[in-house]
């Protein structure tokens, strides 16, 4: 069914919101909320009624509902001030005020199927995690965990999350992955189970999660997580723990798929390949150069593709700041141009704002970059890159306390991939500015461990060892950095630890 009001269309068959025919990216729960409102125009719904209808009675906070309402308004070009479509009824709830019509979507489905828009985007079906015992608390935890994972995975650009997983909740046997691919067209399936695990003196649950290539029917990844504590605490601990392991596996699967394609690739496929290179191969001069080339090609193929422009600005901006590009001045100019273009194309997407804001801060415009990064987090608090970028910008502005808080949170909710080596290096520098050398050394050592091919944390570690009077350890860390990058220059060292510390390290 297609629901229509004013210039908007809600395609409930493909879970798409469009205005004037242009697709608008919305999170699954936000889409479900708008659909619920559109099915019941002019009816007032309390928060409890919305939770029951949209979240199926799961445990969610008032803040979650308020955030979803805010995002729904933003998707409809509405706001809490104008309230054109979603009106707050004081003391009672919310009312959808548009005049809605619906029609059979068969013609629309055929048109969409023949369209190339979004056809290159990978699709993931998240099946509800199954509770392996008929216990209310366990069922609530399984539902809440499924919802949280779905919400956070929306941060992966171009990944389409199928909202049809709920229809398999009450089936005793879930169809095989290949059947789901044939029925729904999804590329990957995420499923799993939750069970209580007996333990003395503590509540404990075991969560098993599987990621499957739906078309091939092969399991790509599986892991079991043991969570301790009451439901709320287990959820807070379990979600980032699972995402940290799951997200790199998704990036790897998507990268392998797009990089193995024959013939000409689309703008979106080129973007996905660039994203996979940086996530899997690390942030190095070679990977930055390869990713920048792919992103330029992507942007040339589709000049209106804001994500490609924003990601190009990030790569070139970081390359400028840390001297990872041989064409230093050209990197600055391209980062600025790409950031400006991306913001003109889409200034309401969290990923676009996070990339462009980071780039602007890195090339010397923190007064513009920092507000963009804050806005990116307001739109999507799960944007780990924006958290880390904001922390890095605070560090550049000599605000190490705020830098530590934001970097730590960004690292905590981030996938376990090579970018953590860079962020850990910056966090170590922030601790160093605070005078906490023990914490700085711990973070630098961890950053070295996270990527054996990244010279940056080794330079930071060498500087910490030198300050502690451990000259031999400092020389060893510096030699390790030169092992990775034999042409390492004083300028590149100083970009991390400052001119004074850089000159003293080189003197070693």
């Amino acid at each position: 069914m297609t629901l229509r009001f004013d210039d908007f269309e809600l395609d409930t068959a493909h879970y798409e919101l469009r205005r004037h025919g242009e697709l608008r990216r919305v999170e699954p729960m936000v889409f479900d909320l708008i659909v619920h409102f559109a099915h019941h125009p002019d009816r007032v719904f309390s928060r409890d009624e919305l939770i029951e209808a949209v979240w199926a009675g799961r445990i969610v906070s008032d803040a979650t509902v308020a955030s979803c309402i805010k995002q729904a308004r933003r998707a409809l070009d509405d706001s809490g001030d104008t309230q054109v479509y979603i009106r707050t009824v004081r003391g009672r709830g919310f009312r959808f005020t548009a005049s809605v019509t619906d029609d059979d979507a068969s013609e629309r489905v055929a048109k969409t199927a023949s369209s190339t828009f979004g056809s290159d985007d990978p699709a993931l079906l998240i099946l509800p995690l199954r509770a392996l015992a008929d216990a209310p608390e366990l069922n609530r935890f399984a539902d809440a965990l499924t919802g949280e994972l779905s919400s956070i995975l929306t941060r992966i650009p171009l990944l389409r999350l199928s909202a049809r997983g709920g229809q398999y909740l009450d089936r005793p046997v879930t169809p095989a992955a290949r059947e789901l691919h044939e029925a729904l067209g999804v590329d990957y399936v995420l499923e799993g189970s939750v069970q209580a695990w007996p333990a003395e003196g503590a509540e404990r649950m075991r969560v098993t999660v599987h990621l499957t290539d739906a078309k091939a029917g092969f399991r790509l990844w599986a892991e079991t997580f043991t969570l301790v504590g009451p439901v709320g605490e287990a959820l807070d601990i379990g979600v980032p723990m699972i995402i940290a392991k799951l997200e790199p596996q998704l990036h790897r699967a998507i990268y392998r798929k797009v990089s193995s394609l024959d013939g000409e690739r689309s703008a979106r496929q080129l973007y996905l390949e660039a994203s996979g290179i940086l996530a899997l191969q690390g942030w190095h001069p070679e990977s930055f150069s390869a990713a920048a080339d792919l992103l330029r090609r992507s942007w040339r193929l589709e000049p209106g593709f804001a994500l490609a422009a924003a990601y190009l600005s990030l790569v070139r901006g970081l390359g400028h700041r840390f001297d990872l590009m041989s064409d230093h001045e050209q990197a600055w100019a391209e980062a600025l141009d790409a950031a400006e273009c991306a913001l003109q194309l889409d200034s309401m997407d969290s990923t676009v704002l996070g990339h462009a804001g980071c780039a602007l801060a890195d090339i010397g415009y923190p007064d513009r970059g920092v507000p963009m990064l804050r806005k990116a987090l307001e739109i999507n608090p799960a944007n780990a890159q924006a958290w880390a970028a904001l922390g890095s910008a605070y560090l550049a502005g000599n605000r190490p306390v705020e830098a530590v808080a934001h970097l730590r949170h960004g690292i905590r909710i981030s996938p376990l991939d090579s970018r953590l080596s860079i962020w850990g290096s910056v966090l170590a520098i922030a601790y160093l500015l605070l005078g906490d050398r023990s914490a700085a050394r711990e973070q630098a050592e961890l950053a070295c461990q996270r990527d054996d091919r990244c010279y940056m944390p080794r330079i930071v570690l060498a500087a910490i060892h030198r300050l502690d009077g451990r000259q031999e350890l400092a020389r060893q860390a510096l030699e390790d950095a030169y092992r990775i990058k034999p042409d390492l220059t004083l300028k590149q060292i100083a970009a991390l630890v400052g001119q004074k510390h850089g000159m003293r390290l080189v003197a070693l």
Side-chain angles (χ1 to χ4, degrees):
M1 177 180 292
T2 300
L3 303 171
R4 307 178 191 277
F5 53 95
D6 294 345
D7 303 321
F8 289 94
E9 293 180 358
L10 283 165
D11 185 343
T12 60
H14 290 81
Y15 302 92
E16 294 177 346
L17 169 66
R18 296 176 181 272
R19 184 170 197 181
H20 296 300
E22 294 185 1
L23 185 67
R24 298 210 162 184
R25 182 179 173 87
V26 292
E27 294 185 9
M29 297 310 300
V30 176
F31 182 86
D32 290 347
L33 176 65
I34 298 173
V35 169
H36 179 70
F37 275 136
H39 274 303
H40 306 280
D42 288 325
R43 177 177 166 183
V44 177
F45 288 94
S46 68
R47 290 179 185 270
D48 289 343
E49 287 172 329
L50 289 176
I51 291 171
E52 183 64 34
V54 179
W55 283 269
R58 292 198 301 268
I59 302 172
V60 295
S61 65
D62 286 349
T64 298
V65 177
S67 175
C68 208
I69 291 285
K70 186 175 183 179
Q71 291 181 60
R73 282 173 168 157
R74 185 180 290 119
L76 300 174
D77 295 327
D78 202 353
S79 71
D81 294 328
T82 58
Q83 297 191 11
V84 173
Y85 295 111
I86 302 176
R87 186 164 299 171
T88 301
V89 181
R90 187 182 298 275
R92 296 183 60 193
F94 303 93
R95 180 165 64 91
F96 193 68
T97 59
S99 176
V100 181
T101 60
D102 60 74
D103 57 30
D104 188 287
S106 57
E107 183 178 344
R108 169 73 175 157
V109 169
K111 183 179 177 182
T112 303
S114 64
S115 171
T116 59
F117 186 88
S119 61
D120 299 324
D121 300 350
L124 171 70
L125 174 68
I126 302 178
L127 294 172
L129 298 179
R130 292 186 179 273
L132 299 184
D134 191 15
E137 193 76 356
L138 200 62
N139 279 296
R140 283 197 295 272
F141 176 77
D143 287 345
L145 184 56
T146 303
E148 290 289 331
L149 292 176
S150 301
S151 178
I152 291 180
L153 287 173
T154 60
R155 73 186 182 191
I156 301 179
L158 303 187
L159 179 66
R160 294 177 295 154
L161 297 185
S162 174
R164 302 185 186 185
Q167 71 188 61
Y168 301 101
L169 181 61
D170 298 322
R171 296 192 186 184
V173 178
T174 303
R178 292 189 67 175
E179 294 178 54
L180 293 171
H181 168 74
E182 293 170 2
L184 305 177
V186 295
D187 300 291
Y188 310 102
V189 175
L190 183 69
E191 57 186 317
S193 61
V194 178
Q195 61 180 314
W197 199 253
E200 293 183 5
E203 297 181 59
R204 185 171 296 187
M205 281 173 284
R206 294 190 71 178
V207 179
T208 300
V209 185
H210 311 276
L211 178 67
T212 303
D213 182 322
K215 185 176 182 179
F218 295 137
R219 184 161 291 174
L220 300 171
W221 169 78
E223 191 157 337
T224 297
F225 302 85
T226 301
L227 308 177
V228 180
V231 167
E233 292 181 17
L235 200 60
D236 289 340
I237 295 169
V239 171
M241 185 185 296
I242 295 169
I243 287 290
K245 298 288 189 72
L246 167 63
E247 198 168 327
Q249 300 299 328
L250 269 171
H251 280 299
R252 180 175 286 107
I254 294 168
Y255 172 71
R256 285 175 177 169
K257 180 179 179 181
V258 296
S259 61
S260 64
L261 293 173
D262 296 326
E264 291 296 321
R265 279 164 286 171
S266 71
R268 290 165 177 258
Q269 289 166 341
L270 291 168
Y271 174 93
L272 290 169
E273 185 175 357
S275 178
I277 285 175
L278 292 181
L280 301 175
Q281 297 182 16
W283 290 11
H284 315 295
E286 298 79 9
S287 60
F288 267 42
S289 178
D293 181 60
L294 289 166
L295 291 167
R296 289 188 197 101
R297 290 166 56 193
S298 172
W299 193 17
R300 282 197 298 268
L301 279 174
E302 192 176 326
F305 189 17
L307 281 172
Y311 209 177
L312 179 60
S313 74
L314 173 71
V315 170
R316 296 294 267 165
L318 284 168
H320 171 84
R321 176 176 177 180
F322 295 113
D323 204 32
L324 291 170
M325 300 284 190
S326 58
D327 55 342
H328 190 71
E329 295 306 317
Q330 291 91 332
W332 182 93
E334 189 172 24
L336 179 60
D337 178 60
E340 297 286 12
C341 290
L343 293 167
Q344 288 179 9
L345 292 168
D346 190 348
S347 62
M348 293 300 295
D349 182 90
S350 178
T351 303
V352 170
L353 288 167
H355 290 345
C358 179
L360 289 170
D362 285 338
I363 63 174
Y365 297 104
D367 291 344
R368 289 192 63 200
V370 167
M372 287 179 195
L373 293 168
R374 289 175 179 156
K375 185 177 178 182
L377 294 176
E378 180 185 0
I379 294 172
N380 183 7
N383 189 335
Q385 183 271 331
W387 278 101
L390 187 53
S392 180
Y394 283 142
L395 180 63
N398 198 28
R399 297 166 62 180
V401 174
E402 292 100 323
V404 165
H406 285 75
L407 283 160
R408 283 184 62 88
H409 185 70
I411 289 172
R412 188 182 77 85
I413 66 173
S414 170
L416 286 172
D417 59 31
S418 56
R419 79 188 79 178
L420 295 189
S421 182
I422 306 293
W423 295 351
S425 303
V426 179
L427 178 57
I429 295 170
Y431 274 122
L432 201 57
L433 288 180
L434 288 175
D436 191 342
R437 291 184 192 170
S438 176
R441 185 170 58 255
E442 178 185 352
Q443 290 300 325
E445 289 173 345
L446 184 57
C448 290
Q449 174 186 317
R450 282 169 166 157
D451 190 347
D452 185 63
R453 300 163 299 161
C454 186
Y455 70 88
M456 294 184 186
R458 286 151 178 85
I459 291 173
V460 177
L461 184 60
I464 296 167
H465 283 322
R466 192 195 67 79
L467 287 171
D468 286 340
R470 301 173 179 178
Q471 302 299 319
E472 184 57 33
L473 289 176
R475 275 192 291 270
Q476 290 175 12
L478 194 58
E479 286 174 2
D480 202 18
Y482 276 102
R483 169 188 64 81
I484 297 166
K485 188 170 174 55
D487 60 346
L488 192 59
T489 65
L490 172 59
K491 184 178 180 182
Q492 290 167 334
I493 295 174
L496 287 163
V497 297
Q499 189 71 20
K500 181 179 72 173
H501 290 299
M503 292 180 67
R504 291 176 178 173
L505 281 178
V506 171
L508 291 176

